[in-house]
Amino acid sequence: FSWVARMATDDYVGFTFFVGCMAMMAAAAFFFLSMNQFDKKWRVSILVSGLITFIAAVHYWYMRDYWAANMESPTFFRYVDWVLTVPLMCVEFFLILRVAGAKKSLMWNLILLSVIMLVTGYFGEAVQRDQAWLWGLISGLAYFAIVYIIWFGEAKKLAQTAGGAVLKAHKTLCWFVLVGWAIYPIGYMAGTPGWYEGWFTGLNMDVIYNIGDAVNKIGFGLVIYNLAVQASND
Amino acid sequence: FSWVARMATDDYVGFTFFVGCMAMMAAAAFFFLSMNQFDKKWRVSILVSGLITFIAAVHYWYMRDYWAANMESPTFFRYVDWVLTVPLMCVEFFLILRVAGAKKSLMWNLILLSVIMLVTGYFGEAVQRDQAWLWGLISGLAYFAIVYIIWFGEAKKLAQTAGGAVLKAHKTLCWFVLVGWAIYPIGYMAGTPGWYEGWFTGLNMDVIYNIGDAVNKIGFGLVIYNLAVQASND
Ligand SMILES: CC1=C(/C=C/C(C)=C/C=C/C(C)=C/C=O)C(C)(C)CCC1
Ligand SMILES: CC1=C(/C=C/C(C)=C/C=C/C(C)=C/C=O)C(C)(C)CCC1
């Protein structure tokens, strides 16, 4: 057996890492095992939902132990996770909008913006913490560009063309990006120095990020799952 | 090779952790690999049975090592496990009653009650042990509310509307909740201080919880499995 760290009963950070890890594993199993229940055209989307939660499960396994061993934020692993999973979420937008003729360029634009958002965020959080506000600002601009494209831009128009269950799912995903993803900048401001210091004192950055990940990764996947169920019933 | 703890021949607690872990793994494999044998409408229910035992298998793996390493109750991990698996059991009630038109609100009510039951139980067991009786009482009230809903309330009526194999399975699950789940408060009273001290001396809390988990998680899943078999023969 391997050495097992004792977990303090009031270690809420450790608790969210642990629950998050297990929830991601279960979600990945759920998506992987469900994919063949659906019509061919939905299978890739469900598979990608499974990959997003699977990647997260592996990173949470790591981050949970990292936290238990060092009692320190596993920022590095978190960004490794995001830089893989957030582009995959952009792929999901593209996949469901393919029925309306979405072009690959839409996907690549979203992916590029998400990578800019995350790389600049990492710089602010881990490399140039004194300038966290500036890097956060640049990151935020890329975030707004994503929000714009899906809420009002090209993606919105494609969703309207598709109509029906796809339009409804697209709308829900848009709310996830606007409200669910907004959890992350809050965690960032709670965990970095800057003129916004004190806005979110008392909140723990890792707990915020962990809640955000559970909501966004599993929730996003369930929206796609639900879309496949709806579309199969039509 | 990794270092392997020797297991004392009379370590009954360690024994139940070990057997429990293996039984959960086998049950998860059984449910996962069986799901495609059944008609589409039963597959999600079987998959959820698989997830419940899969989640338990991972936690038992952990808890077994935790016990071997620290000779201490892995209370924290146990509640992480419950807080994921008990709500999934509530989902199972909803899934089998969908044929009779069960509404999502039924599912959410049961989930909410189960979370209240577990969070208050955790408080009594791990945070405010001096007040264990009070937290246990609140937890017990939530437990009775669940029992009421499935035995006499909304869920009961839906089961009667559904009739046949669904009604029979629902009845068996009701007995699991009334008798099988009642194992847990016994473990709680054996493991916490309070005016009930002495009622269950000699009984070990972890052994009781481990037996409860095996009965309820695997048994519950088998009832669903059996329902799918019956319904496919009709
Ligand atoms: C705007 C902004 C950020 C946004 C992060 C986001 C939106 C992350 C999303 C992650 C997801 C969706 C992960 C999971 O599945 C950062 C980088 C914290 C830096 C501060 C400014
Ligand atoms: C009433 C009561 C409790 C009930 C726990 C139950 C009913 C747990 C069920 C767990 C299951 C079914 C797990 C597995 O699969 C507690 C929290 C011990 C605290 C004391 C009062």
Side-chain angles (χ1 to χ4, degrees), chain A residues 79 82 86 89 117 121 136 139-140 143 181 184-185 188 209 213 217:
Chain A
Y79 276 87
W82 289 349
V86 181
M89 290 179 165
M117 174 180 88
S139 175
Y143 172 45
W181 290 24
Y184 298 98
Y188 183 87
Y209 283 161
D213 275 357
K217 292 188 163 94

Side-chain angles (χ1 to χ4, degrees), chain B residues 85-108:
Chain B
T85 53
V86 181
L88 282 176
M89 291 179 164
C90 299
V91 172
E92 291 277 39
F93 273 103
F94 165 73
L95 287 175
I96 68 167
L97 295 174
R98 256 193 320 187
V99 284
K103 279 175 296 188
K104 286 240 170 80
S105 62
L106 170 67
M107 179 180 88
W108 288 115

Side-chain angles (χ1 to χ4, degrees), chain B residues 79 82 85-86 89 117-118 121 136 139-140 143 181 184-185 188 209 213 216-217:
Chain B
Y79 275 87
W82 290 350
T85 53
V86 181
M89 291 179 164
M117 174 180 87
L118 295 170
S139 175
Y143 172 47
W181 290 23
Y184 298 98
Y188 183 88
Y209 282 162
D213 275 357
N216 288 300
K217 292 187 164 94

Side-chain angles (χ1 to χ4, degrees), chain B residues 64-131:
Chain B
R64 191 193 61 187
D65 287 349
Y66 188 95
W67 173 261
N70 308 310
M71 284 289 153
E72 197 187 271
S73 294
T75 304
F76 178 88
F77 301 101
R78 212 181 263 296
Y79 275 87
V80 172
D81 178 80
W82 290 350
V83 96
L84 292 164
T85 53
V86 181
L88 282 176
M89 291 179 164
C90 299
V91 172
E92 291 277 39
F93 273 103
F94 165 73
L95 287 175
I96 68 167
L97 295 174
R98 256 193 320 187
V99 284
K103 279 175 296 188
K104 286 240 170 80
S105 62
L106 170 67
M107 179 180 88
W108 288 115
N109 285 341
L110 292 173
I111 291 179
L112 183 70
L113 286 166
S114 71
V115 172
I116 293 174
M117 174 180 87
L118 295 170
V119 170
T120 51
Y122 184 71
F123 254 78
E125 210 171 303
V127 185
Q128 286 207 322
R129 286 177 71 85
D130 300 337
Q131 306 274 292

